[in-house]
Structure formats: C-alpha cells, structure tokens
Amino acid sequence: ETGVTQTPRHLVMGMTNKKSLKCEQHLGHNAMYWYKQSAKKPLELMFVYNFKEQTENNSVPSRFSPECPNSSHLFLHLHTLQPEDSALYLCASSQDARGSYEQYFGPGTRLTVT
Amino acid sequence: AQTVTQSQPEMSVQEAETVTLSCTYDTSESDYYLFWYKQPPSRQMILVIRQEAYKQQNATENRFSVNFQKAAKSFSLKISDSQLGDAAMYFCAYRSARVNTNAGKSTFGDGTTLTVKP
C-alpha cells in the first residue's frame, strides 16, 4: 500500500461504545495529524505528533484519546462520544511538523454516533 | 491566532475556461507557507500548489497558478483550461514557519466547492 491509509472507512457507534480509528503512513514521514471535518465547521486540527511526541492538543475533549506507537502508526481511541462528534476524521502525515512541508491526507473515516 | 477566509462557498466554471478562487488570511507573522488543497468527492485531499511567503514570485503548477499578495494578505488560485476532473472542494491553508510554538499547526479555510460544467 502507498500513501496514507485509514481504517475503518465507515464506523457507526453508540454513545456508550469504545472504538478506535487507525491510520498508517507508508511515506517515511515523522509527523502525523488528526483532523475533524464536519459540515458546519472548517477542517479542525485535533492532534499533532512529531517524532512520536505529541506536540499539539487543540483543546480536544478527553473522550478522544490519541496514541502514536511509532512514526508510521496513529490511533484515535473513542469512548462515550456524543452525536455532535459525528464527522469525517482525517489523518495526515508530513516529513516533520515544520510548516514548509506539505501534508498528505488519508481517505478519512466517516464516523456516525447514534 | 491566524485565520483563513474563503469568501466563495461555491463557484462554477465552463470546461476549458478559467476560474479564480479567492483566499485571504490574517497573521502577524512574517514567515509562513500557504497551500491550496483539492478534495474531490469521496476522494483523498491532495496538494495542488504551495507558496513560500518569502518568495515574491507566484507559484505555478501546470494549469494552476496563484496570485500571492503579501501586503494584502491575499492568496488566490487560478485554474486555467478547466477540466471536469477539477471539480472538487478546494481548501486554502496557512502554516506557520515557527519551529516551536506553532509547529505542526495548520489553519484551513472553509473551502470552495468548484463545479465544472461540460
């Protein structure tokens, strides 16, 4: 596989469920990102990892818990979500977190919270 | 904090013609990077073009070019000879050049949906 992959592509979960989103990049990058894309708001940065260290948490509620075990993998653990958390969750990567590097995006996970 | 504004929620263009998408931003920084990304329906977001703020020359990539006006904080995207495959949502994005406090942060505009008419 090439580029940035995300699984699952679609997820429906109840408010009491626990699920995880997975992102994998095959580009040799050192920075990875989680974004939330919803119809009512622009693309919102959630978390940034640079060389496996979290460098940004954009005031994200604790029901979202990121994990970055290595530079190639990024997870987003979800628990007790709310209906307003329904959105497209995009993962991205870049060479590192410096602004000069473009970001490569995955296809996203379409999350529906019921 | 930086902000990015795309004032055109929707635009349309006739195939083979030219269209310009607007983007303005607000920042107190002098060194930064600007990007245009394209998100086709149900497909991955990809980079269209990037511009370094320290460069006066406007970036070009084949049929895509930008008009970067640093003083006016404007960064518009021009698509020449529009093709059906150009139909997508286009996002303008700002990234700081700062290494520490803003490392990794990107600010995106709301997006412009471009329709290409055959």
Side-chain angles (χ1 to χ4, degrees):
Chain A
E1 296 205 54
T2 60
V4 181
T5 58
Q6 291 185 243
T7 55
R9 295 292 306 276
H10 299 273
L11 178 62
V12 179
M13 59 185 290
M15 290 190 285
T16 58
N17 290 159
K18 289 185 179 181
K19 297 286 185 183
S20 295
L21 310 185
K22 178 183 176 182
C23 175
E24 184 173 2
Q25 58 94 1
H26 308 268
L27 300 168
H29 289 166
N30 295 297
M32 296 188 77
Y33 311 77
W34 279 117
Y35 286 90
K36 177 182 179 182
Q37 185 177 24
S38 53
K40 299 180 180 179
K41 293 184 178 181
L43 212 60
E44 300 173 73
L45 179 66
M46 300 175 72
F47 302 103
V48 180
Y49 278 83
N50 196 34
F51 294 93
K52 299 190 297 179
E53 298 295 322
Q54 187 181 127
T55 58
E56 179 69 23
N57 177 338
N58 198 22
S59 303
V60 180
S62 60
R63 57 186 183 271
F64 295 91
S65 175
E67 178 190 1
C68 188
N70 54 61
S71 292
S72 299
H73 294 85
L74 184 65
F75 296 88
L76 188 62
H77 303 300
L78 317 171
H79 63 98
T80 59
L81 293 190
Q82 304 299 311
E84 60 264 28
D85 297 322
S86 298
L88 182 68
Y89 288 84
L90 294 173
C91 174
S93 71
S94 62
Q95 187 61 46
D96 62 41
R98 284 177 287 181
S100 57
Y101 290 114
E102 68 181 270
Q103 294 173 299
Y104 291 77
F105 287 83
T109 294
R110 175 68 65 183
L111 174 66
T112 303
V113 181
T114 60
Chain B
Q2 294 79 28
T3 59
V4 176
T5 302
Q6 293 180 247
S7 59
Q8 307 152 315
E10 297 178 347
M11 291 283 285
S12 66
V13 62
Q14 206 70 35
E15 195 175 6
E17 295 191 344
T18 296
V19 64
T20 298
L21 309 184
S22 67
C23 173
T24 58
Y25 58 94
D26 190 25
T27 183
S28 59
E29 300 176 336
S30 59
D31 197 14
Y32 48 87
Y33 302 88
L34 297 166
F35 302 82
W36 277 99
Y37 287 91
K38 167 186 178 182
Q39 187 178 35
S42 302
R43 294 183 62 185
Q44 289 172 242
M45 193 177 307
I46 59 172
L47 177 72
V48 175
I49 199 165
R50 56 170 269 172
Q51 174 79 42
E52 296 87 345
Y54 61 84
K55 287 187 177 179
Q56 291 187 330
Q57 186 173 6
N58 288 325
T60 62
E61 285 288 341
N62 300 314
R63 298 183 293 107
F64 298 87
S65 61
V66 300
N67 183 4
F68 173 50
Q69 301 290 328
K70 191 172 184 179
K73 296 179 182 175
S74 172
F75 181 60
S76 61
L77 174 70
K78 186 172 83 171
I79 306 174
S80 304
D81 186 25
S82 296
Q83 300 176 359
L84 295 178
D86 295 332
M89 181 167 279
Y90 287 80
F91 292 93
C92 177
Y94 171 103
R95 294 198 81 185
S96 171
R98 288 186 182 179
V99 176
N100 296 321
T101 55
N102 286 336
K105 285 189 178 181
S106 291
T107 303
F108 283 78
D110 288 358
T112 297
T113 299
L114 178 67
T115 302
V116 181
K117 299 178 180 178

